[in-house]
Amino acid sequence: MNSSSGKGSMSTASSSAAWKAGDAVPEQFPAGLRVLVVDDDQTCLMILEKMLRTCLYEVTKCNRAEIALSMLRENKNGFDIVISDVHMPDMDGFKLLEHIGLEMDLPVIMMSADDGKHVVMKGVTHGACDYLIKPVRMEALKNIWQHVVRKWKDEWKDFEQSGSVEEGDRQQKQSEDADYSSSANEGNWKSSKKRKDDEDEAEERDDTSTLKKPRVVWSVELHQQFVAAVNQLGIDKAVPKKILELMNVPGLTRENVASHLQKYRLYLKRLSGVSQHQSNPNNSFISPEEAAFGPLSSLNGLDLQTLAATGQLPAQSLATLQAAGLGRSTAKSSIPMPLVDQRNIFSFENPKLRFGEGQQQHMNNNKQINLFHGIPTTMEPKQLASLHHTAQSIGNINMQVTSHGAQSFQNNSLLMPMAQPQSRGQVLNNSTVGHAPTLPSSMGQPILSNGVAVNVSPRNGIPENIRAPGYNPVSQTSSILNFPMNTASELPGNSFTLGSTPGISGLTSKGAFQEDVNSEMKGLGEFLSSYDTFNDLNQHKPQNWEIQYVGMTYDASQHSNSLQDNLDLMQSVLVQQGFSSGQVNGQNRSAAVVRKAMFSAGDSTEHVNAQNVNQHLNSLVENTIRVKSERVADASAANLFPNHFGQEDLMSALLKQEGILPAENEFDFDGYSMDDIQE
Amino acid sequence: MERNPMGRQLAIMRQSLFDQGYLDEQFIQLEELQDDANPNFVEEVVTLYYRDSARLILNIEQALERKPFDFNKLDDYMHQFKGSSSSIGAKKVKAESTLFREYCKSGNGEGCTRTFQQLKKEYATLRKKLEAYFQMARQAGPMETACRPK
């Protein structure tokens, strides 16, 4: 577990231990939460540490506020939440609270033996997300993860909302995607990402999601109200204005509803597309298994839809891809679509939260990653295995997330699934994120694998760790992802499942992966820098992936098909990357995508088969990585995934079809044509 | 545990600490944290508490020797001390701390001094009792984590 006061590292060991494949889904998510506890009282510190460890969190204790602040600054993505005492000799707890809020935007819980109303009020006004009275009981600590999730949701929402208004100049694609607000968001994300590179993350965050800015969080209840209103009006007749009136929620704006409606529509489209294969929007976890293939197809379809919806993918491409995906889905990999969807939903949230501005960047990254997945890589079987494992955890995580509705987790899961299907080898990558190098370098889209992983881990903020082959971060996340994947997906142990997990891990490791990848591609300076950014984003949360999904997952979260949604998103992202949509697809899709990717990549599609999926994924991952390295050179610094990165055939196919060329180096692959994907 | 006479004695000792108001629920929280990985967790925490709080006791003592009293500072010290004490479940000590702070807030120097004396007594008494308890626990054997009162 974390060491005491010295560092804020995330020890995977402890967290990993917490995540075991097969754990009940609901249990996984909070486990591994990285907590920084600050208190000058050694006794309290010791007790809190033990309590938090018992909650399966990763704890770093610190008895000096200044030290805590510097730890946070050094490792921006190293923690998920901070617990701080109010009375401290070297710095007032509220001051620390302010600093953290401004610089890192982490949720902060204040605690004190003082329970006077005035002090508690001070906590509220300074932005504390909770206030605990000492002596702190274990029960009070068990649920602190809710603050992390809430913040993710807020950030995601915020990001989404503000995305459209920021960096208009960067969003050239936006004009193309004018019809889809989500794409606008994506563009923003991308821009954000870019900005992130240049600016302080906090600044970006502040721009779009200042702490003080009121956020619209589409909670489950709110969404249900929304759905009720839409159903009442009739989906065809449901216009934001009327929905808003029906919902009658104070503070909700028409814009909020409009963007949410868009996502919801996409989500529904996906559902209908998927329904043929499996229709358990709600049990996505389970159904995918049965319809291993189905989910895949669905995913593809979904993703495509999503993509299309977001303007990234031309409608026709979507159809094509979908068809392709369907045709291809030979792999039974039980893509945990549902899982993915659900997870994705959260993933969205997470990435958003974490990255804030950076999310955009992540998006880009994600995209790349996704692409990565699509690219068949030559992952070694063992990588696959690792991914598998990771995927498992991720799967679990996803599951958990879903159950909790704690979204961020789910997103991760989604990522994972995605990763899996796609990257034969990639999936594994997730788990192997640590091995980033092993990830399909060719793909250069480690994202997929990473993406999966990325999302997975809210915990993943480990990007840093990713460097090490040990890929701690990934494992952390991966495990989380894996869990859901495996557990949730009763997916027939298809490689996909595994793949997903690994993929997810990979995703989570997004940061990690990237790092790893980066390390691999040392030579690719640009690439690396883009990765770093990405990693950075990841660090925050594996949710990088989430960003992609942001639009999609959100809807999905509400529905059990979140997985699918996520997958879709993933696909979208991937597609954006230039990867065949198939690649992008979330788990379910991933499988399909992977297949596609594999096909595209020239890899044997057979691999896609469940059993082989993992392996393939691995290889995919590897290829991806490789591709990446090759391409990286071409890629502009900003782009993690150079436009021409990724499977050549896929990308070009996509681009050709759509005739869309990324406006920027970043992944502005808005118009990938999916047609080519189907090989 | 009942099979073990030592165990039983330990349980009785433990129960009386609660019954007599020396310990409160928070102590049970600590006991619950004790596990195989940290088999002596409670004792460790208590030891740490006494070591750490000794510093605070000293600070307060010194502050009470300076006239006029700096009530803010005194209150501040005591606030910390109270937080620490409450975290191990030292009920009587905590009560005295609260009283002390009341006197500080109302600027009652005499009350502060008096209360502080009382607090030190309780502080010392608890220490002795817990030391005896832990010693007994060690003798009684590893299975001697007394059941907690429901």
Side-chain angles (χ1 to χ4, degrees), chain A residues 211-457:
Chain A
L211 292 177
K212 323 296 185 218
K213 199 192 288 191
R215 296 184 178 143
V216 175
V217 177
W218 281 95
S219 64
V220 175
E221 304 79 46
L222 198 61
H223 180 77
Q224 278 171 4
Q225 274 182 275
F226 167 83
V227 175
V230 168
N231 290 338
Q232 192 173 332
L233 291 166
I235 186 67
D236 297 331
K237 295 218 184 64
V239 289
K241 187 151 182 286
K242 295 223 176 94
I243 297 173
L244 187 64
E245 283 166 13
L246 276 179
M247 285 178 72
N248 194 23
V249 171
L252 195 65
T253 70
R254 198 203 69 82
E255 291 72 34
N256 298 150
V257 175
S259 80
H260 191 71
L261 177 65
Q262 182 151 349
K263 294 195 221 96
Y264 183 65
R265 287 215 172 102
L266 293 175
Y267 164 79
L268 290 181
K269 271 201 217 139
R270 270 204 316 233
L271 283 189
S272 57
V274 184
S275 54
Q276 41 199 322
H277 297 286
Q278 63 154 29
S279 27
N280 302 323
N282 297 309
N283 301 329
S284 29
F285 294 112
I286 319 285
S287 19
E289 297 185 335
E290 268 61 88
F293 184 76
L296 278 180
S297 317
S298 327
L299 278 178
N300 289 325
L302 289 178
D303 291 343
L304 291 178
Q305 288 183 4
T306 314
L307 287 175
T310 54
Q312 294 161 11
L313 192 59
Q316 51 273 35
S317 302
L318 183 64
T320 312
L321 283 174
Q322 196 154 3
L326 287 176
R328 286 208 204 269
S329 35
T330 47
K332 281 312 180 156
S333 52
S334 39
I335 308 232
M337 267 231 307
L339 281 179
V340 173
D341 286 344
Q342 299 191 9
R343 289 193 244 185
N344 286 334
I345 300 211
F346 290 110
S347 315
F348 284 125
E349 319 218 81
N350 291 333
K352 272 197 139 185
L353 289 182
R354 273 293 177 200
F355 305 116
E357 256 66 310
Q359 292 191 347
Q360 293 192 2
Q361 296 178 1
H362 286 289
M363 272 298 285
N364 292 324
N365 292 328
N366 288 328
K367 295 212 201 142
Q368 295 186 344
I369 298 188
N370 288 325
L371 288 177
F372 201 71
H373 286 289
I375 300 185
T377 53
T378 51
M379 281 257 279
E380 291 102 16
K382 66 171 175 335
Q383 288 187 353
L384 246 169
S386 49
L387 278 180
H388 193 46
H389 179 72
T390 340
Q392 299 229 326
S393 44
I394 298 190
N396 293 335
I397 302 204
N398 289 332
M399 295 289 281
Q400 292 184 351
V401 177
T402 322
S403 25
H404 285 295
Q407 322 50 39
S408 43
F409 233 85
Q410 295 199 337
N411 288 331
N412 293 332
S413 320
L414 280 179
L415 289 180
M416 292 279 294
M418 296 246 327
Q420 298 184 349
Q422 312 210 355
S423 44
R424 303 178 284 186
Q426 295 202 347
V427 171
L428 290 185
N429 286 326
N430 288 333
S431 47
T432 54
V433 171
H435 315 297
T438 54
L439 285 178
S441 35
S442 52
M443 292 282 298
Q445 307 267 354
I447 300 195
L448 262 189
S449 23
N450 287 329
V452 171
V454 175
N455 287 332
V456 177
S457 48

Side-chain angles (χ1 to χ4, degrees), chain A residues 14-34:
Chain A
S14 50
S15 346
S16 309
W19 308 321
K20 300 176 308 236
D23 262 29
V25 168
E27 305 302 289
Q28 295 322 311
F29 161 56
L33 198 73
R34 297 158 305 161

Side-chain angles (χ1 to χ4, degrees), chain A residues 40-44 46-47 50-52 54 85 87 89 112-114 134-139, chain B residues 25-26 29-30 33 35 38 41 44-45 48-49 52 76 79-80 83-84 86-88 94 101:
Chain A
D40 62 310
D41 185 330
Q42 296 283 8
T43 312
C44 289
M46 182 175 176
I47 296 172
K50 186 72 172 87
M51 282 182 173
L52 290 165
T54 307
D85 188 34
H87 278 86
S112 178
D114 214 338
K134 284 184 177 180
V136 177
R137 297 172 59 89
M138 181 91 145
E139 295 84 78
Chain B
E25 236 291 311
Q26 192 60 21
Q29 290 271 311
L30 297 191
L33 290 174
D35 54 19
N38 299 85
F41 181 72
E44 284 166 15
V45 173
L48 178 59
Y49 162 73
D52 207 41
D76 206 53
H79 171 84
Q80 296 177 51
S84 225
S86 67
S87 72
I88 67 156
K94 179 181 174 183
R101 291 192 74 198

Side-chain angles (χ1 to χ4, degrees), chain A residues 175-245:
Chain A
S175 52
E176 295 185 68
D177 307 324
D179 303 335
Y180 306 97
S181 58
S182 347
S183 45
N185 285 340
E186 287 206 346
N188 289 330
W189 289 331
K190 292 185 232 155
S191 316
S192 305
K193 177 173 181 317
K194 258 198 156 108
R195 282 205 301 175
K196 195 164 187 322
D197 289 331
D198 311 325
E199 305 165 4
D200 182 70
E201 183 185 350
E203 291 174 23
E204 284 192 355
R205 240 200 332 260
D206 286 344
D207 289 345
T208 54
S209 53
T210 13
L211 292 177
K212 323 296 185 218
K213 199 192 288 191
R215 296 184 178 143
V216 175
V217 177
W218 281 95
S219 64
V220 175
E221 304 79 46
L222 198 61
H223 180 77
Q224 278 171 4
Q225 274 182 275
F226 167 83
V227 175
V230 168
N231 290 338
Q232 192 173 332
L233 291 166
I235 186 67
D236 297 331
K237 295 218 184 64
V239 289
K241 187 151 182 286
K242 295 223 176 94
I243 297 173
L244 187 64
E245 283 166 13

Side-chain angles (χ1 to χ4, degrees), chain B residues 11 16 21 24-25 34 40 42-43 52 55 65 80-81 91 93 96-97 99 105 109-110 129 140 147 150:
Chain B
S16 86
D24 62 23
E25 236 291 311
Q34 189 156 294
N40 301 310
V42 184
E43 186 175 358
D52 207 41
R55 173 182 50 90
E65 280 161 19
Q80 296 177 51
F81 181 80
K91 195 171 180 182
V93 174
E96 296 297 331
S97 309
L99 192 55
K105 291 198 184 70
E110 160 63 21
K129 285 193 179 283
C147 328
K150 66 345 3 107

